[in-house]
Amino acid sequence: AIGTFLTTLSIYLTMSSHNYLSFISDICGKLKTIKRTGWVRSGVPLPESDADHMHRCCMCAMLLQQEQNRKEDYEASTMKYHPSKVDQMKLIKMTVSHDLCEALAGDITPHCSAELIQSKHAKEEAAMEEIRKIVGDPLGLELFDLWKEYEAQETVEAIYCKDIDKFEMIVQAYEYEVAHLKNKQEADPSKKEDVTHEPLRGFFRSTNSSMRTPLFRRLDREQRQKRELMLRERGWEVTAEERQVDN
């Protein structure tokens, strides 16, 4: 599978170096058409694109600029996440580019085939190397380094970006439930993979202990509480696994 993938990528080698138009259209433009795999699997009508997701992630990152971030959110063990200790421009760049590789590698999720999951990192790294060739340095190198930093999950900016990635996903899941989920008595219990007939529980279960930064841990908890009220109004129960748990 990697060989076939790299063969496909080699097409881009025939392009002139530093092809800015190709970067804007074939890479960034492609992200506007790639529908997020999780929403497609869940039967969401008109699911968001990768570009949609990264745009709101970037807006989430800008919340760190707000002076009214709660001081009580930060204690000795979490002070490293205080906004004053974050390179906020780097975080904004990371959030708006963290899925750039998917323009060439595709959106590979834990529900994809075992072969795809196993090759995910290699495909994404090869994609970022190719994107670097297309756009050229220094931007190409910066994008590649931001992706590597995000994947390594060692810096405070990378940890924030991962929290934002997961938080934006559950906000979107909630919005799809609000827009499409029927009252329980009207739902068809045989259609478990369709947001019209079943809450998007998996997205909340898989992220219930994901948040590490105080700001997005608090926002995540508030979002889950808001969702629970909405579901109860429609006759749905919420399992303990869908609520935030200590990490």
Side-chain angles (χ1 to χ4, degrees):
I2 287 291
T4 302
F5 173 69
L6 293 176
T7 299
T8 302
L9 288 185
S10 69
I11 295 172
Y12 287 95
L13 291 175
T14 63
M15 299 178 179
S16 60
S17 62
H18 305 187
N19 191 330
Y20 298 162
L21 285 178
S22 179
F23 173 70
I24 293 300
S25 182
D26 300 327
I27 303 303
C28 300
K30 179 82 174 290
L31 294 170
K32 296 175 73 173
T33 67
I34 296 176
K35 303 304 181 184
R36 302 255 288 164
T37 302
W39 309 133
V40 174
R41 287 185 66 258
S42 300
V44 171
L46 299 175
E48 68 167 348
S49 68
D50 272 3
D52 294 326
H53 165 66
M54 288 192 292
H55 175 265
R56 186 154 60 178
C57 282
C58 183
M59 301 308 292
C60 288
M62 293 174 70
L63 291 174
L64 270 70
Q65 300 175 18
Q66 297 295 89
E67 293 182 1
Q68 62 265 35
N69 279 309
R70 296 183 182 178
K71 292 182 175 61
E72 62 267 25
D73 281 347
Y74 301 92
E75 52 191 26
S77 62
T78 57
M79 189 54 66
K80 64 181 178 181
Y81 300 122
H82 191 277
S84 65
K85 301 184 182 299
V86 179
D87 183 335
Q88 296 186 23
M89 182 53 67
K90 178 195 277 191
L91 177 59
I92 287 170
K93 289 180 178 182
M94 190 179 290
T95 53
V96 83
S97 66
H98 69 281
D99 283 338
L100 192 64
C101 59
E102 294 182 7
L104 300 180
D107 182 15
I108 302 171
T109 76
H111 297 285
C112 293
S113 69
E115 182 181 12
L116 271 178
I117 294 170
Q118 186 174 12
S119 65
K120 181 179 189 294
H121 183 80
K123 282 189 173 184
E124 292 182 346
E125 183 171 24
M128 289 306 301
E129 289 174 345
E130 199 60 43
I131 290 168
R132 179 182 176 185
K133 292 175 186 176
I134 292 168
V135 71
D137 291 342
L139 177 57
L141 177 60
E142 181 179 20
L143 291 170
F144 186 59
D145 285 346
L146 284 169
W147 175 81
K148 287 195 298 184
E149 183 174 335
Y150 174 65
E151 288 291 298
Q153 284 296 292
E154 294 176 350
T155 66
V156 66
E157 292 80 15
I159 292 168
Y160 258 107
C161 190
K162 178 64 75 174
D163 273 14
I164 289 169
D165 176 62
K166 299 299 185 185
F167 172 71
E168 198 284 329
M169 182 182 73
I170 70 150
V171 171
Q172 187 62 75
Y174 165 78
E175 291 170 349
Y176 284 145
E177 289 176 333
V178 169
H180 304 296
L181 182 64
K182 293 183 176 183
N183 291 337
K184 188 173 183 179
Q185 61 267 31
E186 300 170 352
D188 183 345
S190 68
K191 298 180 178 179
K192 293 291 187 182
E193 298 298 320
D194 188 327
V195 64
T196 306
H197 300 280
E198 179 71 20
L200 296 168
R201 301 186 190 280
F203 296 93
F204 293 88
R205 289 170 177 162
S206 65
T207 56
N208 64 5
S209 62
S210 295
M211 307 300 164
R212 298 165 64 183
T213 61
L215 172 60
F216 288 99
R217 186 161 178 79
R218 170 164 54 82
L219 292 175
D220 172 73
R221 182 172 60 253
E222 292 172 1
Q223 178 63 72
R224 289 170 193 266
Q225 292 168 348
K226 182 179 180 182
R227 172 183 182 254
E228 185 162 351
L229 289 174
M230 180 274 295
L231 288 180
R232 291 191 183 281
E233 288 176 356
R234 299 190 187 187
W236 295 96
E237 73 287 350
V238 175
T239 64
E241 291 81 7
E242 294 168 71
R243 301 186 182 104
Q244 188 183 93
V245 300
D246 292 335
N247 53 11

